[in-house]
Amino acid sequence: MENRIEKIKKQLHSQSYKLTPQREATVRVLLEHEEDHLSAEDVYLLVKEKSPEIGLATVYRTLELLSELKVVDKINFGDGVSRYDLRKEGAEHFHHHLVCVECGSVKEIEEDLLGDVEKIVESQWEFKVKDHRLTFHGICKKCQSHDDDK
Amino acid sequence: MENRIEKIKKQLHSQSYKLTPQREATVRVLLEHEEDHLSAEDVYLLVKEKSPEIGLATVYRTLELLSELKVVDKINFGDGVSRYDLRKEGAEHFHHHLVCVECGSVKEIEEDLLGDVEKIVESQWEFKVKDHRLTFHGICKKCQSHDDDK
DNA sequence: CTCGCTGCAAATACTTTGCAAAGGA
DNA sequence: TCCTTTGCAAAGTATTTGCAGCGAG
């Protein structure tokens, strides 16, 4: 945890940004909720618990900054809200998501499933892939078994 | 073209919706701009050229309706705007996109590249896949050659 | 002192909703 | 007549921006 904060701090410094208390508080919230997919508002409310003086605009600005630095990925699951997802340590690509259309749960997949597909895209369409977004919509394990009850 | 309008009309009727003039005008715009990725506002302005009396809310409502019927797919490339993309005839899944981070161009890929990946997801995570969203971010052919100039 | 960073409030952008009127079955 | 659909305006969200003040170097 402290270790990752330290790394992010260095990353900010390398671009002459500072890890201010507000920014640190925001990063901590993200670290504590790695599994979740928080909206800016969510992050704001959580940060506010520890640092009540923070403003919503600051949270937006921080998330935007972290997004530029590739510390977080901004993602949108189709509701009108942007969500922010911490990149895993050393991850080159954004991880994938399984969104359950019944219960709304979101599961993350770390494995890179797209290696072959990217090769095809690069050769067949001559498109230099830098990153990707892959989300599956479907029914999660839990909802499948619930459906059996019906 | 007329053929596809006819099909959509039947699809609406089967759910007891009507293909009103406004809805038809909206569908025609989508058909005429299949390659583009129009926002609601874009569609509105284009429909307005032919049917100036239409209201923006109607366009939103129509797009929402078409989205439910899976005639169009709603997609979001990360700017704050929802875009609407007509499904290809008979397509089971949403097609993929290549978004160029330099020039912003968006290319569509019809081929289903995810067959194997979906099988893995279904068996390994016991997740019943219904649909997907796959977008690659990278550099398109054109921008790659421009970069050579530098 | 300088300059980046912050909080607040206001502005903006996008989308949805309420409602009375219109129109087809 | 009944019920869906529409246009307009208003309301709602989500996000961004302007700006004065603060604070580390």
Side-chain angles (χ1 to χ4, degrees):
Chain A
M1 174 85 165
E2 297 310 317
N3 183 20
R4 291 185 68 185
I5 301 244
E6 206 45 48
K7 278 192 186 167
I8 292 168
K9 187 173 179 177
K10 280 182 191 152
Q11 220 175 329
L12 283 163
H13 284 171
S14 74
Q15 316 258 327
S16 28
Y17 293 116
K18 299 169 199 165
L19 184 64
T20 63
Q22 290 89 338
R23 287 177 182 165
E24 182 171 334
T26 304
V27 170
R28 282 184 189 279
V29 162
L30 292 172
L31 282 167
E32 285 160 11
H33 295 265
E34 277 211 81
E35 293 300 309
D36 302 339
H37 299 82
L38 305 174
S39 67
E41 184 85 32
D42 296 336
V43 174
Y44 171 61
L45 292 174
L46 287 165
V47 175
K48 233 172 171 343
E49 291 176 7
K50 299 272 180 70
S51 314
E53 30 7 286
I54 201 169
L56 176 56
T58 301
V59 171
Y60 270 104
R61 283 184 283 227
T62 301
L63 291 172
E64 174 63 28
L65 178 60
L66 294 174
S67 197
E68 273 168 32
L69 296 178
K70 306 269 187 202
V71 171
V72 304
D73 283 298
K74 193 173 177 178
I75 192 170
N76 193 301
F77 290 127
D79 52 350
V81 203
S82 292
R83 296 175 183 283
Y84 298 85
D85 214 354
L86 213 48
R87 281 218 174 190
K88 304 305 182 232
E89 290 220 62
E92 240 183 81
H93 282 306
F94 194 35
H95 50 259
H96 318 308
H97 292 96
L98 306 181
V99 179
C100 179
V101 294
E102 295 209 353
C103 68
S105 70
V106 178
K107 183 158 180 48
E108 308 201 335
I109 297 189
E110 285 310 313
E111 280 82 347
D112 186 7
L113 304 170
L114 292 179
D116 294 342
V117 174
E118 293 197 351
K119 274 180 205 140
I120 294 173
V121 169
E122 299 220 340
S123 64
Q124 194 160 339
W125 284 273
E126 302 181 67
F127 182 87
K128 177 82 193 118
V129 175
K130 293 282 192 184
D131 199 3
H132 56 232
R133 289 281 182 284
L134 173 59
T135 304
F136 289 103
H137 299 248
I139 306 189
C140 71
K141 190 179 174 182
K142 197 181 285 180
C143 287
Q144 283 177 47
S145 51
H146 289 175
D147 289 350
D148 295 343
D149 305 342
K150 290 178 189 165
Chain B
M1 171 85 165
E2 298 310 318
N3 184 21
R4 292 186 68 184
I5 301 245
E6 206 46 47
K7 278 193 185 168
I8 291 167
K9 186 174 181 177
K10 280 182 190 152
Q11 221 175 328
L12 284 162
H13 284 170
S14 74
Q15 317 257 327
S16 28
Y17 293 115
K18 300 167 198 166
L19 185 63
T20 63
Q22 290 88 339
R23 285 176 184 167
E24 182 171 334
T26 305
V27 171
R28 282 185 188 279
V29 162
L30 292 173
L31 282 167
E32 286 160 10
H33 295 265
E34 278 210 81
E35 293 299 309
D36 301 339
H37 298 82
L38 304 175
S39 66
E41 184 86 32
D42 295 336
V43 174
Y44 171 62
L45 292 174
L46 287 165
V47 175
K48 234 173 164 1
E49 292 177 6
K50 299 272 181 69
S51 315
E53 44 345 304
I54 201 169
L56 176 57
T58 301
V59 172
Y60 270 104
R61 283 183 284 228
T62 301
L63 292 171
E64 175 62 28
L65 179 60
L66 294 174
S67 196
E68 274 168 32
L69 296 177
K70 306 268 185 200
V71 172
V72 302
D73 284 296
K74 192 174 177 177
I75 192 172
N76 194 301
F77 290 127
D79 53 350
V81 203
S82 293
R83 296 175 183 283
Y84 299 84
D85 213 353
L86 213 49
R87 280 218 177 192
K88 305 303 182 234
E89 290 220 62
E92 240 183 82
H93 283 305
F94 193 37
H95 50 259
H96 318 307
H97 292 95
L98 306 182
V99 179
C100 178
V101 295
E102 295 209 353
C103 68
S105 70
V106 179
K107 183 160 181 46
E108 308 200 335
I109 297 190
E110 284 312 312
E111 281 82 347
D112 186 7
L113 304 170
L114 292 178
D116 294 341
V117 175
E118 292 196 352
K119 273 179 205 141
I120 295 173
V121 169
E122 299 218 341
S123 64
Q124 194 162 340
W125 284 272
E126 300 180 70
F127 184 87
K128 178 81 192 120
V129 175
K130 294 281 190 183
D131 199 2
H132 56 231
R133 289 281 182 284
L134 173 59
T135 304
F136 289 103
H137 301 248
I139 306 188
C140 71
K141 190 179 174 183
K142 196 181 285 179
C143 287
Q144 283 176 48
S145 50
H146 288 175
D147 289 350
D148 294 344
D149 302 342
K150 290 177 190 168

